[in-house]
Amino acid sequence: MNNLSKKVLLVLVVVVGLATLGYRLSENQQEAVALQTNTMQSAITPVALTSAKQSEPTDTITLPGTVEGWYEAPIYARVEGYVKAWHKDYGANVKKGDVLAELNTPDLDADYRQALADLESERARNSLAQLTAQRYVAMRENQALSEQAISVQLAEAKAQAAKVTAAEQKVKNIEAFIGFKQIVAPFDGVVIQRNINVGDLVSKEGSINTTNAKNNLFTVAVVDKLRLFVNVPSRFGPFLNPGMTADVTVPQIPNRHFTFNFLTVAKGFDVNTRTAVTVFTIDNKDRTLWPGSYATVRLTAPVESGVTTIPTSALVFQEHGTQVAVVTEDDRVHFKPIEVTKILDNVIEVTSGISKTDKIINNPSAALLEGDKVRIVAPAAGYDIMNPKEKPQETAALKQ
């Protein structure tokens, strides 16, 4: 009986041992298969995808521009002299005819006194000539003088009268220039420049107080309405028509956008730059914008259809030119050549080579080669610059 129990116990031990050994062998085999699978997956390059998109049917261009007053008048002196006083400073509001500055003109004053003296001298000579002519005519009845002598004296009297008229006109001319001793505003506006100080020497060509420099004395501008000057490339020429607007920002107010309305365009392109001078305008009653401001101008025009765009991070530069890497149906890499028309900040515009259905690899590795096997993974949040606000969706490959 004891021998039988021992045999049964031995059999049970052997059975349990064999079962344990089989379980361990099966578990090790499963781990080996899982390890092999993970190793094979790790050996396949993971890639994130993006896609081509169709932009809005508009064409937008950003250009530099200059804001100027509706009228801007650089003011010069009409006579030479020294600045006696200036009455309007930078930013002063002026009305038409307001005195901006006064000049001392010693040379002009001397010329005026000389002209008055010359006029009196000519008048005295004229009086003598007229009196002599009257006496000659009175002696004609007595035939005391020849007709020739009388005619000569009458002609001299007329000539002397003409000299008086000329002298009077010279005085009037100088008096007119004396009026320019006061520099006045040509229209209602704001003083945006003052280039003179008391004692400066000025002339018709401007302030000559500074060596090798001649400047206007003042600049007065109308700032309640402004003009914007932009040099627009020729490809935008067909869209430069009434009704067009320009979205404008200026450095001093970077977060505010201003809408300027189309005013006119030069009907011709500069042969050197192939651009046309285009003018926009805006009401500036609150005087927020200042003349002379640099402007960033965005022009948008409708086009027949939108353009295909892809993120710049998808570009591949090789010896064959500009390409993109796409994933084929069997998850392999294929490089496709593309034609780029415009490179923007984050995207590029493409005319041919890709379609919206292509699975484009974003940020492709330089180690990828034609035909390489790849594994598609979902990009991390913020990875796709084409859709920064979209949340990434897990792909089927990642779920596995």
Side-chain angles (χ1 to χ4, degrees):
M1 188 70 180
N2 290 334
N3 291 334
L4 180 61
S5 299
K6 291 179 179 179
K7 290 180 179 180
V8 172
L9 180 61
L10 180 60
V11 170
L12 289 175
V13 171
V14 171
V15 170
V16 171
L18 291 174
T20 303
L21 179 61
Y23 175 78
R24 292 294 299 173
L25 290 175
S26 175
E27 186 180 43
N28 290 340
Q29 185 178 8
Q30 290 178 359
E31 289 179 354
V33 171
L35 179 61
Q36 183 181 10
T37 301
N38 291 336
T39 302
M40 291 179 63
Q41 287 184 350
S42 299
I44 300 175
T45 304
V47 295
L49 299 183
T50 185
S51 61
K53 291 179 172 54
Q54 198 77 3
S55 67
E56 295 293 329
T58 57
D59 191 7
T60 301
I61 189 172
T62 302
L63 299 167
T66 302
V67 178
E68 295 186 8
W70 185 251
Y71 298 127
E72 286 190 17
I75 300 172
Y76 293 82
R78 291 288 287 119
V79 294
E80 185 172 311
Y82 298 92
V83 177
K84 177 182 178 181
W86 53 264
H87 303 291
K88 301 294 181 181
D89 205 351
Y90 292 100
N93 293 308
V94 295
K95 296 291 184 180
K96 182 178 179 180
D98 283 355
V99 177
L100 305 178
E102 296 179 81
L103 305 179
N104 282 324
T105 57
D107 294 341
L108 181 63
D109 294 343
D111 290 342
Y112 182 58
R113 291 191 294 270
Q114 181 64 50
L116 289 176
D118 291 342
L119 175 59
E120 292 300 321
S121 176
E122 294 299 336
R123 283 175 175 171
R125 292 193 181 94
N126 181 56
S127 297
L128 178 59
Q130 297 301 326
L131 179 59
T132 303
Q134 292 175 3
R135 289 176 177 176
Y136 273 43
V137 171
M139 288 187 288
R140 175 183 289 167
E141 297 180 358
N142 300 327
Q143 297 182 351
L145 295 171
S146 66
E147 192 64 31
Q148 175 66 24
I150 296 173
S151 298
V152 170
Q153 188 59 43
L154 289 174
E156 288 180 355
K158 291 181 180 180
Q160 192 59 49
K163 290 180 179 180
V164 172
T165 302
E168 290 174 345
Q169 187 60 49
K170 184 177 180 179
V171 170
K172 292 179 181 179
N173 292 344
I174 295 177
E175 288 175 345
F177 276 102
I178 288 176
F180 292 118
K181 293 170 68 172
Q182 289 187 332
I183 310 299
V184 299
F187 45 71
D188 296 355
V190 176
V191 176
I192 62 173
Q193 277 189 347
R194 175 182 61 79
N195 297 320
I196 57 172
N197 278 307
V198 174
D200 283 355
L201 175 63
V202 299
S203 70
K204 297 178 182 179
E205 297 178 338
S207 174
I208 56 178
N209 193 61
T210 304
T211 306
N212 299 325
K214 295 180 180 179
N215 302 311
N216 56 301
L217 311 187
F218 293 89
T219 299
V220 176
V222 174
V223 298
D224 293 337
K225 193 172 184 179
L226 301 175
R227 302 177 196 260
L228 171 69
F229 290 85
V230 188
N231 292 323
V232 180
S234 56
R235 70 181 181 88
F236 247 70
F239 309 116
L240 299 175
N241 296 304
M244 188 180 191
T245 59
D247 179 62
V248 177
T249 57
V250 292
Q252 60 267 32
I253 317 175
N255 297 323
R256 182 172 174 181
H257 290 253
F258 299 88
T259 301
F260 281 71
N261 298 308
F262 176 85
L263 179 63
T264 187
V265 60
K267 299 296 184 179
F269 295 107
D270 187 294
V271 295
N272 295 316
T273 62
R274 304 301 178 189
T275 59
V277 177
T278 308
V279 185
F280 295 84
T281 184
I282 190 174
D283 287 329
N284 190 42
K285 299 297 183 183
D286 58 356
R287 299 187 177 183
T288 302
L289 293 172
W290 293 359
S293 296
Y294 172 87
T296 301
V297 184
R298 287 177 59 86
L299 302 178
T300 302
V303 294
E304 293 183 358
S305 61
V307 296
T308 303
T309 62
I310 61 174
T312 53
S313 56
L315 286 179
V316 177
F317 298 98
Q318 293 184 350
E319 65 272 12
H320 301 296
T322 306
Q323 297 177 322
V324 293
V326 300
V327 178
T328 61
E329 294 297 330
D330 57 351
D331 291 338
R332 293 191 178 277
V333 176
H334 173 57
F335 290 95
K336 301 180 70 173
I338 60 173
E339 291 187 10
V340 178
T341 57
K342 186 189 298 183
I343 299 179
L344 305 176
D345 292 336
N346 295 325
V347 298
I348 61 172
E349 295 181 358
V350 181
T351 55
S352 64
I354 56 173
S355 65
K356 291 190 291 185
T357 58
D358 285 334
K359 294 184 288 185
I360 303 172
I361 299 176
N362 202 3
N363 281 315
S365 170
L368 286 178
L369 300 176
E370 180 74 22
D372 281 357
K373 187 75 173 178
V374 293
R375 178 167 51 92
I376 300 174
V377 298
Y383 185 84
D384 188 357
I385 61 176
M386 294 284 286
N387 301 286
K389 296 183 180 180
E390 293 183 3
K391 294 182 179 180
Q393 302 294 329
E394 292 185 350
T395 64
L398 184 62
K399 290 181 180 178
Q400 293 176 356

